[in-house]
Amino acid sequence: MNVSTILKEKGQNVITADSSLSLLDVAKILSEKGIGSIVIIDTGKKVAGILSERDIVRSLAKAGSDALTQPVSLYMTQKVVTCNCADTIDTLMSKMTSGRFRHMPVVENDELVGIVSIGDVVKQRIAQAEMETAAMRDYIATG
Ligand code: AMP
């Protein structure tokens, strides 16, 4: 099971924001879309950073309400860990666990082609475990 299995099911739509938007504008997008993290894009489809709810909390703790009118580029994480369609679910789980983040943009040829969250990974792992259990039951019943 790999990233392309997840993208086939959930689609390739990714909500993005320009790095020049203010932190408040981006917070509004997160709230309106009901998402916890947004990929920040520079030119074309190139990933410039990622901003999650956690970054907004940190920004407010650091700069107070002034942070809200400042560009999101000041507060986003710039070193984004990405994956590609061929990566396995196990690889993603271990990168998310060791990096302590819950979202990974999917990049192919330097372009953003999707996003995978920890929720998508867990859902896939449960589906896989259920399939294995059903196969074992079949094997035992027919053996
Ligand atoms: P999250 O778990 O996605 O809410 O993110 C927790 C922290 O990790 C925040 O500071 C994010 O900016 C950062 N982060 C989220 N996703 C990634 C990623 N794929 N690569 C690097 N940092 C990330």
Side-chain angles (χ1 to χ4, degrees):
M1 293 250 185
N2 55 23
V3 170
S4 60
T5 318
I6 293 179
L7 292 188
K8 256 179 220 146
E9 203 172 300
K10 73 176 275 194
Q12 290 187 256
N13 184 42
V14 189
I15 295 161
T16 62
D18 193 273
S19 59
S20 62
L21 287 186
S22 70
L23 197 65
L24 180 60
D25 286 336
V26 174
K28 283 180 183 167
I29 300 174
L30 290 179
S31 167
E32 278 159 18
K33 304 285 182 187
I35 52 173
S37 207
I38 192 160
V39 179
I40 310 296
I41 295 291
D42 249 347
T43 41
K45 281 189 164 187
K46 236 179 163 196
V47 175
I50 192 161
L51 187 105
S52 88
E53 296 154 324
R54 214 170 281 183
D55 298 313
I56 297 176
V57 172
R58 280 196 205 118
S59 325
L60 292 172
K62 193 175 159 198
S65 57
D66 286 352
L68 293 171
T69 51
Q70 293 175 337
V72 69
S73 54
L74 290 182
Y75 298 106
M76 67 191 188
T77 299
Q78 289 181 358
K79 273 196 172 172
V80 184
V81 181
T82 61
C83 59
N84 56 50
C85 292
D87 280 333
T88 64
I89 312 279
D90 285 349
T91 304
L92 257 64
M93 272 184 97
S94 88
K95 282 188 181 171
M96 284 178 170
T97 308
S98 61
R100 293 173 177 270
F101 49 74
R102 294 164 291 182
H103 302 88
M104 270 179 99
V106 187
V107 171
E108 288 290 344
N109 302 317
D110 247 13
E111 284 206 350
L112 183 64
V113 297
I115 191 158
V116 175
S117 74
I118 191 78
D120 300 324
V121 169
V122 169
K123 193 175 155 199
Q124 201 60 46
R125 285 293 250 137
I126 291 172
Q128 189 183 357
E130 281 171 353
M131 263 168 51
E132 284 168 7
T133 307
M136 286 287 270
R137 283 214 180 100
D138 267 6
Y139 177 75
I140 293 164
T142 56

